Amino acid sequence: MAQSADETALQVVSVVNNSSLLQPGFSLMNFDGDVFFFGQKGWPKRSCPTGVFLLDTKQNELKMKPAFFSKDSCYLPPLRYPALCMLRGCADSEEHQYIIHGGKTPNNDLSDKIYVISLVSKTSKKTTFQCVEKDLGGDVPEARYGHTINIVYSRGKSMSVIFGGRSYTPLAQRTTEKWNSVVDCLPSVFLVDFEFGCCTSYILPELQDGLSFHVSVARNDTVYILGGHSLQNNTRSPSLYKLKVDLPLGSPAVTCSILPGGISVSSAIVTQTAETEFVLIGGYQSDSQKRLVCNTLVLDDNKIEIVERASPDWTPDIKHCKMWFGCDMGKGSVLLGVPGANKQLISDANYFYILRCKGTEEDKEEELTAQVCSQTSSEDPGDSTPFEDSEEFCFSAEASSFDDDTDTYNEDDEEDESETGYWITCSASCNIDVNTWVPFYSTELNKPAMILCSNGTGHWVHAQCMDLSETMLLRLSQANVKYFCNEHIDLNKGLQTPKKVLHLKKQPMKPLHKKTAPKLTTPMKKSFLRRLFE
């Protein structure tokens, strides 16, 4: 395999505190050079109800600012591990939208919906998007994550191609021990027509095994699928598939061919550096071994060429750790992160880098101002453990140093589940243990139900520890009332100011039997009575 002379440069990015919203599995979008991310940890709060943030990387720092949705937008849940791609009006158009399909919600439910994100307006202080949910019909792809979506153009028309991913085991096949286990989706190819919302599935004989966390790149009417992980076989085969889509006036035609020269890799990142050139970075070649080699993918109309390129000067932290993560920032840049030293005072500290691929003149100009940095690691390589593909190569940056502007997002408003999460000791009588807990209420799946105590600034308690019945829990969750836990209910009563009570004037009651004064008997009457009884 020939080696490309293109260079890549690593630039260290300062780690910023307060990063509880960012977890593996979120996605990045690039609009006019500005990078936005979505897929935060937990459900969006009122400080940023859209869950979409501007990721500002100026001055070697990562900062977040909330973005807004237009009034005619639909709700976009924070989806992790979705399939995402760019949609242009035509193959040569500069204006574009983003398509989002599938993914995991904070409740670990899988989504089968498809959304289209477009930029409405952008100023220095505010960015507004429009989010539209597309109605699908026909062979709708099942809910999944870890898959890919691409756009193909043929005969003046365009369609999206969905392939791969993982889903939960069907309900009929689930057991108590493996209720939330996942399986590979069937290796079907789905074509989605956005104009009419029609989906069509194709079963191709060349595609035998399900794949997830693979790489897919598209040019015109062709999609190339590279690498991936198969749960059924627990392998990362060096597969390379070529899907060709023809869109005539009638029914579409999809053909598949197997090409030689593939790469055994999963969870890799691809960034585009030129019209026909992509760079493949990172990933895993086994469960516990990273792939430190970079490749250039050159796409022609009918073929793909994979060339090994010069790898950057990886720092000791990247070389020694078993897990790394990142995401494509667009325009030939990738944001990389590795776990920090376990011996540090801050347990969630990570090291972050921006990897710039020098494939265009614009990148070469940026190289003049980019400082290539490295730092030593105090981490013992044996302290870190590999993650499965579903948790591997999805960026979880420590990006939350915020501006002082009025529109700057303040993460302190959010609930940090790492400290006030589901497995806290909520009270003196709390008996919830992450290792022994089993669902108690019918609404629980893999986390205990909690309710907010309104005492002081508020704190969360387990509904089961408060001896709440399911009926009462549902009533409290639906009613707009304050709740006080068992430890603060008496205190709350004692702190209340007594209300003034009007005292009623008591009317004297009439006695039922009024005693009268005894009458005195005269001497004449006494004499008469004595003679009568004698």
Side-chain angles (χ1 to χ4, degrees), residues 126-154:
K126 183 177 180 180
T127 304
T128 304
F129 292 100
Q130 182 189 41
C131 180
V132 178
E133 179 185 344
K134 290 291 185 179
D135 295 327
L136 302 180
D139 302 329
V140 179
E142 65 177 320
R144 62 187 67 199
Y145 71 101
H147 56 300
T148 56
I149 182 171
N150 299 92
I151 303 297
V152 292
Y153 302 89
S154 173

PDB file of all heavy atoms in Angstrom, residues 126-154:
ATOM      1  N   LYS A 126     -26.674  34.883  18.425  1.00  0.00           N
ATOM      2  CA  LYS A 126     -27.775  33.920  18.397  1.00  0.00           C
ATOM      3  C   LYS A 126     -27.770  33.152  17.084  1.00  0.00           C
ATOM      4  O   LYS A 126     -27.609  33.734  16.015  1.00  0.00           O
ATOM      5  CB  LYS A 126     -29.115  34.639  18.589  1.00  0.00           C
ATOM      6  CG  LYS A 126     -30.316  33.723  18.642  1.00  0.00           C
ATOM      7  CD  LYS A 126     -31.593  34.522  18.901  1.00  0.00           C
ATOM      8  CE  LYS A 126     -32.811  33.625  18.959  1.00  0.00           C
ATOM      9  NZ  LYS A 126     -34.053  34.392  19.213  1.00  0.00           N
ATOM     10  N   THR A 127     -27.968  31.845  17.190  1.00  0.00           N
ATOM     11  CA  THR A 127     -28.101  30.975  16.019  1.00  0.00           C
ATOM     12  C   THR A 127     -29.434  30.246  16.108  1.00  0.00           C
ATOM     13  O   THR A 127     -29.762  29.669  17.149  1.00  0.00           O
ATOM     14  CB  THR A 127     -26.962  29.949  15.951  1.00  0.00           C
ATOM     15  OG1 THR A 127     -25.702  30.635  15.968  1.00  0.00           O
ATOM     16  CG2 THR A 127     -27.065  29.120  14.692  1.00  0.00           C
ATOM     17  N   THR A 128     -30.192  30.279  15.024  1.00  0.00           N
ATOM     18  CA  THR A 128     -31.529  29.680  14.998  1.00  0.00           C
ATOM     19  C   THR A 128     -31.577  28.602  13.926  1.00  0.00           C
ATOM     20  O   THR A 128     -31.164  28.823  12.777  1.00  0.00           O
ATOM     21  CB  THR A 128     -32.607  30.730  14.717  1.00  0.00           C
ATOM     22  OG1 THR A 128     -32.512  31.775  15.700  1.00  0.00           O
ATOM     23  CG2 THR A 128     -33.997  30.116  14.779  1.00  0.00           C
ATOM     24  N   PHE A 129     -32.094  27.427  14.302  1.00  0.00           N
ATOM     25  CA  PHE A 129     -32.260  26.311  13.379  1.00  0.00           C
ATOM     26  C   PHE A 129     -33.735  25.991  13.212  1.00  0.00           C
ATOM     27  O   PHE A 129     -34.582  26.380  14.037  1.00  0.00           O
ATOM     28  CB  PHE A 129     -31.551  25.061  13.910  1.00  0.00           C
ATOM     29  CG  PHE A 129     -30.049  25.163  13.935  1.00  0.00           C
ATOM     30  CD1 PHE A 129     -29.377  25.459  15.114  1.00  0.00           C
ATOM     31  CD2 PHE A 129     -29.312  24.958  12.784  1.00  0.00           C
ATOM     32  CE1 PHE A 129     -27.994  25.553  15.142  1.00  0.00           C
ATOM     33  CE2 PHE A 129     -27.932  25.046  12.804  1.00  0.00           C
ATOM     34  CZ  PHE A 129     -27.277  25.344  13.982  1.00  0.00           C
ATOM     35  N   GLN A 130     -34.016  25.264  12.155  1.00  0.00           N
ATOM     36  CA  GLN A 130     -35.331  24.670  11.966  1.00  0.00           C
ATOM     37  C   GLN A 130     -35.176  23.157  11.973  1.00  0.00           C
ATOM     38  O   GLN A 130     -34.327  22.606  11.264  1.00  0.00           O
ATOM     39  CB  GLN A 130     -35.977  25.106  10.648  1.00  0.00           C
ATOM     40  CG  GLN A 130     -37.386  24.529  10.456  1.00  0.00           C
ATOM     41  CD  GLN A 130     -37.930  24.774   9.059  1.00  0.00           C
ATOM     42  OE1 GLN A 130     -37.196  24.642   8.084  1.00  0.00           O
ATOM     43  NE2 GLN A 130     -39.195  25.135   8.953  1.00  0.00           N
ATOM     44  N   CYS A 131     -35.964  22.491  12.797  1.00  0.00           N
ATOM     45  CA  CYS A 131     -35.933  21.033  12.898  1.00  0.00           C
ATOM     46  C   CYS A 131     -37.277  20.486  12.449  1.00  0.00           C
ATOM     47  O   CYS A 131     -38.328  20.870  12.980  1.00  0.00           O
ATOM     48  CB  CYS A 131     -35.626  20.602  14.329  1.00  0.00           C
ATOM     49  SG  CYS A 131     -35.578  18.806  14.558  1.00  0.00           S
ATOM     50  N   VAL A 132     -37.250  19.598  11.462  1.00  0.00           N
ATOM     51  CA  VAL A 132     -38.471  19.033  10.896  1.00  0.00           C
ATOM     52  C   VAL A 132     -38.375  17.512  10.964  1.00  0.00           C
ATOM     53  O   VAL A 132     -37.357  16.924  10.569  1.00  0.00           O
ATOM     54  CB  VAL A 132     -38.679  19.481   9.438  1.00  0.00           C
ATOM     55  CG1 VAL A 132     -39.929  18.837   8.857  1.00  0.00           C
ATOM     56  CG2 VAL A 132     -38.773  21.004   9.362  1.00  0.00           C
ATOM     57  N   GLU A 133     -39.424  16.885  11.472  1.00  0.00           N
ATOM     58  CA  GLU A 133     -39.497  15.423  11.479  1.00  0.00           C
ATOM     59  C   GLU A 133     -40.194  14.944  10.214  1.00  0.00           C
ATOM     60  O   GLU A 133     -41.278  15.422   9.862  1.00  0.00           O
ATOM     61  CB  GLU A 133     -40.250  14.927  12.706  1.00  0.00           C
ATOM     62  CG  GLU A 133     -40.392  13.412  12.762  1.00  0.00           C
ATOM     63  CD  GLU A 133     -41.232  12.936  13.917  1.00  0.00           C
ATOM     64  OE1 GLU A 133     -41.457  13.728  14.857  1.00  0.00           O
ATOM     65  OE2 GLU A 133     -41.668  11.763  13.888  1.00  0.00           O
ATOM     66  N   LYS A 134     -39.562  14.019   9.512  1.00  0.00           N
ATOM     67  CA  LYS A 134     -40.114  13.493   8.271  1.00  0.00           C
ATOM     68  C   LYS A 134     -40.982  12.268   8.547  1.00  0.00           C
ATOM     69  O   LYS A 134     -40.593  11.379   9.305  1.00  0.00           O
ATOM     70  CB  LYS A 134     -38.980  13.114   7.308  1.00  0.00           C
ATOM     71  CG  LYS A 134     -38.215  14.300   6.747  1.00  0.00           C
ATOM     72  CD  LYS A 134     -39.089  15.115   5.790  1.00  0.00           C
ATOM     73  CE  LYS A 134     -38.306  16.228   5.127  1.00  0.00           C
ATOM     74  NZ  LYS A 134     -39.134  17.003   4.185  1.00  0.00           N
ATOM     75  N   ASP A 135     -42.159  12.247   7.933  1.00  0.00           N
ATOM     76  CA  ASP A 135     -43.036  11.085   8.033  1.00  0.00           C
ATOM     77  C   ASP A 135     -42.606  10.054   7.000  1.00  0.00           C
ATOM     78  O   ASP A 135     -42.442  10.368   5.815  1.00  0.00           O
ATOM     79  CB  ASP A 135     -44.495  11.482   7.803  1.00  0.00           C
ATOM     80  CG  ASP A 135     -45.020  12.415   8.883  1.00  0.00           C
ATOM     81  OD1 ASP A 135     -44.573  12.266  10.041  1.00  0.00           O
ATOM     82  OD2 ASP A 135     -45.854  13.285   8.574  1.00  0.00           O
ATOM     83  N   LEU A 136     -42.419   8.825   7.442  1.00  0.00           N
ATOM     84  CA  LEU A 136     -41.954   7.754   6.571  1.00  0.00           C
ATOM     85  C   LEU A 136     -43.038   6.704   6.400  1.00  0.00           C
ATOM     86  O   LEU A 136     -43.847   6.459   7.304  1.00  0.00           O
ATOM     87  CB  LEU A 136     -40.689   7.101   7.139  1.00  0.00           C
ATOM     88  CG  LEU A 136     -39.481   8.027   7.388  1.00  0.00           C
ATOM     89  CD1 LEU A 136     -38.317   7.230   7.947  1.00  0.00           C
ATOM     90  CD2 LEU A 136     -39.077   8.737   6.110  1.00  0.00           C
ATOM     91  N   GLY A 137     -43.025   6.064   5.245  1.00  0.00           N
ATOM     92  CA  GLY A 137     -43.945   4.978   4.953  1.00  0.00           C
ATOM     93  C   GLY A 137     -43.235   3.874   4.200  1.00  0.00           C
ATOM     94  O   GLY A 137     -42.110   4.044   3.720  1.00  0.00           O
ATOM     95  N   GLY A 138     -43.888   2.742   4.086  1.00  0.00           N
ATOM     96  CA  GLY A 138     -43.281   1.606   3.392  1.00  0.00           C
ATOM     97  C   GLY A 138     -42.439   0.769   4.331  1.00  0.00           C
ATOM     98  O   GLY A 138     -42.824   0.504   5.480  1.00  0.00           O
ATOM     99  N   ASP A 139     -41.267   0.349   3.872  1.00  0.00           N
ATOM    100  CA  ASP A 139     -40.362  -0.485   4.675  1.00  0.00           C
ATOM    101  C   ASP A 139     -39.525   0.425   5.582  1.00  0.00           C
ATOM    102  O   ASP A 139     -38.343   0.686   5.312  1.00  0.00           O
ATOM    103  CB  ASP A 139     -39.448  -1.327   3.776  1.00  0.00           C
ATOM    104  CG  ASP A 139     -40.239  -2.216   2.836  1.00  0.00           C
ATOM    105  OD1 ASP A 139     -41.341  -2.636   3.215  1.00  0.00           O
ATOM    106  OD2 ASP A 139     -39.760  -2.482   1.713  1.00  0.00           O
ATOM    107  N   VAL A 140     -40.132   0.897   6.657  1.00  0.00           N
ATOM    108  CA  VAL A 140     -39.449   1.834   7.554  1.00  0.00           C
ATOM    109  C   VAL A 140     -38.368   1.083   8.336  1.00  0.00           C
ATOM    110  O   VAL A 140     -38.642   0.029   8.919  1.00  0.00           O
ATOM    111  CB  VAL A 140     -40.449   2.497   8.512  1.00  0.00           C
ATOM    112  CG1 VAL A 140     -39.738   3.451   9.453  1.00  0.00           C
ATOM    113  CG2 VAL A 140     -41.530   3.223   7.723  1.00  0.00           C
ATOM    114  N   PRO A 141     -37.135   1.590   8.364  1.00  0.00           N
ATOM    115  CA  PRO A 141     -36.086   0.916   9.146  1.00  0.00           C
ATOM    116  C   PRO A 141     -36.447   0.880  10.627  1.00  0.00           C
ATOM    117  O   PRO A 141     -36.986   1.843  11.170  1.00  0.00           O
ATOM    118  CB  PRO A 141     -34.839   1.778   8.898  1.00  0.00           C
ATOM    119  CG  PRO A 141     -35.140   2.566   7.664  1.00  0.00           C
ATOM    120  CD  PRO A 141     -36.616   2.764   7.646  1.00  0.00           C
ATOM    121  N   GLU A 142     -36.164  -0.239  11.270  1.00  0.00           N
ATOM    122  CA  GLU A 142     -36.444  -0.351  12.694  1.00  0.00           C
ATOM    123  C   GLU A 142     -35.530   0.573  13.494  1.00  0.00           C
ATOM    124  O   GLU A 142     -34.494   1.033  13.015  1.00  0.00           O
ATOM    125  CB  GLU A 142     -36.246  -1.799  13.152  1.00  0.00           C
ATOM    126  CG  GLU A 142     -34.811  -2.282  13.049  1.00  0.00           C
ATOM    127  CD  GLU A 142     -34.643  -3.683  13.584  1.00  0.00           C
ATOM    128  OE1 GLU A 142     -35.262  -3.992  14.617  1.00  0.00           O
ATOM    129  OE2 GLU A 142     -33.894  -4.467  12.969  1.00  0.00           O
ATOM    130  N   ALA A 143     -35.920   0.851  14.727  1.00  0.00           N
ATOM    131  CA  ALA A 143     -35.109   1.694  15.603  1.00  0.00           C
ATOM    132  C   ALA A 143     -33.739   1.064  15.795  1.00  0.00           C
ATOM    133  O   ALA A 143     -33.626  -0.142  16.034  1.00  0.00           O
ATOM    134  CB  ALA A 143     -35.819   1.878  16.942  1.00  0.00           C
ATOM    135  N   ARG A 144     -32.686   1.891  15.710  1.00  0.00           N
ATOM    136  CA  ARG A 144     -31.322   1.359  15.758  1.00  0.00           C
ATOM    137  C   ARG A 144     -30.344   2.456  16.115  1.00  0.00           C
ATOM    138  O   ARG A 144     -30.685   3.639  16.166  1.00  0.00           O
ATOM    139  CB  ARG A 144     -30.941   0.748  14.408  1.00  0.00           C
ATOM    140  CG  ARG A 144     -30.951   1.759  13.259  1.00  0.00           C
ATOM    141  CD  ARG A 144     -30.723   1.069  11.917  1.00  0.00           C
ATOM    142  NE  ARG A 144     -31.834   0.200  11.569  1.00  0.00           N
ATOM    143  CZ  ARG A 144     -31.764  -0.786  10.666  1.00  0.00           C
ATOM    144  NH1 ARG A 144     -30.608  -1.021  10.048  1.00  0.00           N
ATOM    145  NH2 ARG A 144     -32.806  -1.533  10.391  1.00  0.00           N
ATOM    146  N   TYR A 145     -29.096   2.072  16.354  1.00  0.00           N
ATOM    147  CA  TYR A 145     -27.995   3.005  16.591  1.00  0.00           C
ATOM    148  C   TYR A 145     -26.716   2.374  16.079  1.00  0.00           C
ATOM    149  O   TYR A 145     -26.657   1.166  15.809  1.00  0.00           O
ATOM    150  CB  TYR A 145     -27.866   3.344  18.083  1.00  0.00           C
ATOM    151  CG  TYR A 145     -27.345   2.221  18.948  1.00  0.00           C
ATOM    152  CD1 TYR A 145     -26.016   2.194  19.351  1.00  0.00           C
ATOM    153  CD2 TYR A 145     -28.182   1.178  19.360  1.00  0.00           C
ATOM    154  CE1 TYR A 145     -25.532   1.162  20.143  1.00  0.00           C
ATOM    155  CE2 TYR A 145     -27.706   0.153  20.150  1.00  0.00           C
ATOM    156  CZ  TYR A 145     -26.376   0.146  20.539  1.00  0.00           C
ATOM    157  OH  TYR A 145     -25.900  -0.887  21.315  1.00  0.00           O
ATOM    158  N   GLY A 146     -25.659   3.188  15.916  1.00  0.00           N
ATOM    159  CA  GLY A 146     -24.392   2.676  15.414  1.00  0.00           C
ATOM    160  C   GLY A 146     -24.415   2.358  13.929  1.00  0.00           C
ATOM    161  O   GLY A 146     -23.601   1.563  13.461  1.00  0.00           O
ATOM    162  N   HIS A 147     -25.308   2.987  13.160  1.00  0.00           N
ATOM    163  CA  HIS A 147     -25.439   2.723  11.732  1.00  0.00           C
ATOM    164  C   HIS A 147     -24.972   3.950  10.952  1.00  0.00           C
ATOM    165  O   HIS A 147     -24.463   4.912  11.534  1.00  0.00           O
ATOM    166  CB  HIS A 147     -26.889   2.370  11.384  1.00  0.00           C
ATOM    167  CG  HIS A 147     -27.887   3.417  11.810  1.00  0.00           C
ATOM    168  ND1 HIS A 147     -28.051   3.811  13.123  1.00  0.00           N
ATOM    169  CD2 HIS A 147     -28.768   4.167  11.096  1.00  0.00           C
ATOM    170  CE1 HIS A 147     -28.991   4.734  13.200  1.00  0.00           C
ATOM    171  NE2 HIS A 147     -29.432   4.982  11.990  1.00  0.00           N
ATOM    172  N   THR A 148     -25.136   3.924   9.635  1.00  0.00           N
ATOM    173  CA  THR A 148     -24.712   5.052   8.801  1.00  0.00           C
ATOM    174  C   THR A 148     -25.835   5.425   7.836  1.00  0.00           C
ATOM    175  O   THR A 148     -26.709   4.617   7.513  1.00  0.00           O
ATOM    176  CB  THR A 148     -23.450   4.701   7.981  1.00  0.00           C
ATOM    177  OG1 THR A 148     -23.707   3.524   7.196  1.00  0.00           O
ATOM    178  CG2 THR A 148     -22.262   4.468   8.898  1.00  0.00           C
ATOM    179  N   ILE A 149     -25.777   6.689   7.393  1.00  0.00           N
ATOM    180  CA  ILE A 149     -26.700   7.187   6.378  1.00  0.00           C
ATOM    181  C   ILE A 149     -25.904   8.046   5.416  1.00  0.00           C
ATOM    182  O   ILE A 149     -25.038   8.816   5.820  1.00  0.00           O
ATOM    183  CB  ILE A 149     -27.865   7.970   7.026  1.00  0.00           C
ATOM    184  CG1 ILE A 149     -28.857   8.442   5.964  1.00  0.00           C
ATOM    185  CG2 ILE A 149     -27.357   9.139   7.840  1.00  0.00           C
ATOM    186  CD1 ILE A 149     -30.136   9.031   6.558  1.00  0.00           C
ATOM    187  N   ASN A 150     -26.153   7.883   4.108  1.00  0.00           N
ATOM    188  CA  ASN A 150     -25.466   8.635   3.055  1.00  0.00           C
ATOM    189  C   ASN A 150     -26.480   9.088   2.019  1.00  0.00           C
ATOM    190  O   ASN A 150     -27.577   8.523   1.914  1.00  0.00           O
ATOM    191  CB  ASN A 150     -24.383   7.791   2.381  1.00  0.00           C
ATOM    192  CG  ASN A 150     -23.296   7.352   3.339  1.00  0.00           C
ATOM    193  OD1 ASN A 150     -23.376   6.282   3.932  1.00  0.00           O
ATOM    194  ND2 ASN A 150     -22.272   8.170   3.502  1.00  0.00           N
ATOM    195  N   ILE A 151     -26.121  10.104   1.251  1.00  0.00           N
ATOM    196  CA  ILE A 151     -26.967  10.618   0.175  1.00  0.00           C
ATOM    197  C   ILE A 151     -26.327  10.265  -1.157  1.00  0.00           C
ATOM    198  O   ILE A 151     -25.117  10.476  -1.355  1.00  0.00           O
ATOM    199  CB  ILE A 151     -27.136  12.141   0.280  1.00  0.00           C
ATOM    200  CG1 ILE A 151     -27.715  12.514   1.639  1.00  0.00           C
ATOM    201  CG2 ILE A 151     -28.032  12.662  -0.830  1.00  0.00           C
ATOM    202  CD1 ILE A 151     -29.101  11.971   1.896  1.00  0.00           C
ATOM    203  N   VAL A 152     -27.114   9.712  -2.062  1.00  0.00           N
ATOM    204  CA  VAL A 152     -26.648   9.393  -3.413  1.00  0.00           C
ATOM    205  C   VAL A 152     -27.443  10.232  -4.413  1.00  0.00           C
ATOM    206  O   VAL A 152     -28.607  10.571  -4.176  1.00  0.00           O
ATOM    207  CB  VAL A 152     -26.811   7.890  -3.719  1.00  0.00           C
ATOM    208  CG1 VAL A 152     -25.866   7.060  -2.873  1.00  0.00           C
ATOM    209  CG2 VAL A 152     -28.245   7.422  -3.502  1.00  0.00           C
ATOM    210  N   TYR A 153     -26.788  10.572  -5.538  1.00  0.00           N
ATOM    211  CA  TYR A 153     -27.392  11.380  -6.598  1.00  0.00           C
ATOM    212  C   TYR A 153     -27.308  10.601  -7.905  1.00  0.00           C
ATOM    213  O   TYR A 153     -26.235  10.126  -8.287  1.00  0.00           O
ATOM    214  CB  TYR A 153     -26.679  12.721  -6.740  1.00  0.00           C
ATOM    215  CG  TYR A 153     -26.673  13.543  -5.471  1.00  0.00           C
ATOM    216  CD1 TYR A 153     -25.649  13.409  -4.537  1.00  0.00           C
ATOM    217  CD2 TYR A 153     -27.690  14.457  -5.210  1.00  0.00           C
ATOM    218  CE1 TYR A 153     -25.633  14.173  -3.381  1.00  0.00           C
ATOM    219  CE2 TYR A 153     -27.681  15.224  -4.047  1.00  0.00           C
ATOM    220  CZ  TYR A 153     -26.653  15.070  -3.140  1.00  0.00           C
ATOM    221  OH  TYR A 153     -26.649  15.813  -1.990  1.00  0.00           O
ATOM    222  N   SER A 154     -28.456  10.465  -8.573  1.00  0.00           N
ATOM    223  CA  SER A 154     -28.501   9.728  -9.837  1.00  0.00           C
ATOM    224  C   SER A 154     -29.638  10.269 -10.686  1.00  0.00           C
ATOM    225  O   SER A 154     -30.774  10.414 -10.198  1.00  0.00           O
ATOM    226  CB  SER A 154     -28.698   8.234  -9.555  1.00  0.00           C
ATOM    227  OG  SER A 154     -28.908   7.515 -10.750  1.00  0.00           O
TER     228      SER A 154
END
